[in-house]
Each structure stands twice: as C-alpha cells, then as structure tokens.
Amino acid sequence: EAQVTQNPRYLITVTGKKLTVTCSQNMNHEYMSWYRQDPGLGLRQIYYSMNVEVTDKGDVPEGYKVSRKEKRNFPLILESPSPNQTSLYFCASSLRVHTEAFFGQGTRLTVV
Amino acid sequence: AQSVSQHNHHVILSEAASLELGCNYSYGGTVNLFWYVQYPGQHLQLLLKYFSGDPLVKGIKGFEAEFIKSKFSFNLRKPSVQWSDTAEYFCAANSMDSSYKLIFGSGTRLLVRP
C-alpha cells in the first residue's frame, strides 16, 4: 500500500531535549516536505527536499533541521525543542514538486 | 508574496444544503491548485486538483471546483452536503514558474448538522 509513515504519532517532551520525528514513503517520490499545523494558521512549510541530499528552508524553519540521506526517508530534528514548537506536524511526499502531495498521519508534539 | 486566502473560517450547514467555500490565490504565471480535506483526527487527503485544461474540476465524494483565472479564484462546491462531510478543508497552490513551496490557506471548518 502506497503511504507516508510518520513516527511517533504522539510525543510529549521537555524543553531542550533533542528529538527526531521520522518520515518514510514507499512511493519512490522525489519531493518531500514537513509542515506544522496550528489553529487558524493552516499548514506552514518547515523544510522541503527536492531529492537526496537536496534540502531547503520553507516558511518557518527556525528551530528545526532535516536530512535526506535516502530517497524514502526525511526525518525532522528538533535539537532543542521549545514550547512554541508544540504543534501538529505532517510529513508529505509527491512524485515531483508540482504534483499532488500525499500526507502522513501526523505527529502531535507537546513541549513542556 | 505568494499567498492563498480562505475567507470562510467556519461554516455550518444542514444536511442537503449546498456548499461553496471560497479560495483566492495571489500568484503570477502558471499555477496548480488543490483542495484537501482533513476529517477529524486524520491526515490531509486530496479532494481534487487543477493543473490545466477544463476549469471545472470534479473530485471525489461529489465535490467540484471551478478555476476562474480572472478572479484568481478556485472555489469548492458540493450541491448537497452530508453529515459525513464535516471536516476542515484546505485550499493550496503552487506555481509552475517558480517556488518549490506548496502554500496552504488557513482552512475552513465545515460542520454539517444532521
């Protein structure tokens, strides 16, 4: 089954404790991206990747890092999480940058 | 700057009522447009998309949208809503000419009363 898989689905952590949210897709898509969803703000792009080893900042990259060492995986790293990073995070992939995006199930992160 | 606007933040309808959700974009050049739906507690799913051709696009579950280039609009419609259409709806756009970003509107929460 074609899908985008994120883990974990739910995470509560403390300020400053490094964490990684994993994202994997099995559709051989080139383009992957991370979004955060906050009430009233819709989805805002954090980082995106055009292909392996090619990543760039989206609209809200501060406090986040990503890597794209393999085509299927695109982890999101929070080196030192802060409470303002409490949000719902979605990973997405698409065959090319301008084609439809497929979304993961989301990761609800709470930073206390 | 490129942006997508959804002016209806909350919409409440009774079953069988007609639905129209507004979406306006500010892009120059060639644009791709999408509507996504997010059912409670779930991830986003594609409802329909417009890349080129017929400006009236039909999607899943009886939804359709019309691309009106002169108005920079891509409104979502459904003739008769059901309780199961209760969800949040997002309009999104990206440009074929520049930018590698898919930009979303702020979303419209639809509540359909039985």
Side-chain angles (χ1 to χ4, degrees):
Chain A
E1 181 188 352
Q3 58 185 1
V4 178
T5 304
Q6 290 179 232
N7 279 297
R9 294 287 311 278
Y10 301 91
L11 180 59
I12 301 174
T13 190
V14 296
T15 299
K17 186 177 180 181
K18 180 179 179 180
L19 66 91
T20 299
V21 184
T22 63
C23 173
S24 180
Q25 50 92 4
N26 62 359
M27 295 170 278
N28 201 36
H29 284 172
E30 290 185 354
Y31 186 81
M32 297 185 75
S33 56
W34 277 101
Y35 297 86
R36 60 178 288 173
Q37 183 180 13
D38 301 289
L41 297 177
L43 279 81
R44 294 178 292 167
Q45 192 177 51
I46 303 170
Y47 268 94
Y48 64 90
S49 170
M50 301 287 287
N51 214 322
V52 176
E53 302 291 3
V54 181
T55 64
D56 207 348
K57 297 176 181 178
D59 292 317
V60 288
E62 293 77 22
Y64 305 93
K65 285 175 58 177
V66 293
S67 68
R68 188 94 181 269
K69 294 185 173 64
E70 306 164 280
K71 198 170 188 178
R72 62 183 293 127
N73 296 323
F74 190 46
L76 179 69
I77 303 156
L78 283 72
E79 295 271 3
S80 182
S82 61
N84 64 12
Q85 292 178 297
T86 292
S87 187
L88 178 58
Y89 292 86
F90 287 101
C91 179
S93 75
S94 54
L95 184 62
R96 302 280 188 273
V97 61
H98 293 120
T99 57
E100 65 184 269
F102 293 82
F103 285 83
Q105 294 282 350
T107 297
R108 187 167 290 282
L109 172 66
T110 301
V111 184
V112 297
Chain B
Q2 297 164 337
S3 65
V4 175
S5 300
Q6 293 179 245
H7 302 295
N8 313 104
H9 298 298
H10 293 90
V11 174
I12 301 174
L13 295 173
S14 298
E15 274 194 315
S18 64
L19 170 72
E20 181 161 1
L21 301 182
C23 172
N24 289 94
Y25 63 92
S26 63
Y27 277 78
T30 307
V31 63
N32 298 324
L33 295 158
F34 308 85
W35 275 99
Y36 286 87
V37 61
Q38 186 178 30
Y39 297 105
Q42 296 192 26
H43 63 292
L44 278 78
Q45 302 169 46
L46 183 71
L47 267 181
L48 48 80
K49 60 189 177 188
Y50 173 78
F51 287 173
S52 64
D54 188 343
L56 185 60
V57 180
K58 295 195 182 299
I60 61 171
K61 303 184 180 185
F63 286 90
E64 64 179 31
E66 185 175 11
F67 170 59
I68 303 179
K69 190 173 182 179
S70 61
K71 294 185 178 180
F72 297 90
S73 70
F74 190 57
N75 292 355
L76 181 71
R77 301 194 292 246
K78 186 171 184 179
S80 176
V81 295
Q82 302 171 321
W83 175 80
S84 58
D85 292 325
T86 293
E88 189 160 16
Y89 293 80
F90 293 93
C91 183
N94 61 26
S95 170
M96 291 294 291
D97 301 324
S98 64
S99 173
Y100 303 112
K101 300 177 186 177
L102 179 63
I103 296 180
F104 284 83
S106 56
T108 298
R109 284 188 185 274
L110 172 65
L111 172 64
V112 180
R113 291 186 169 144

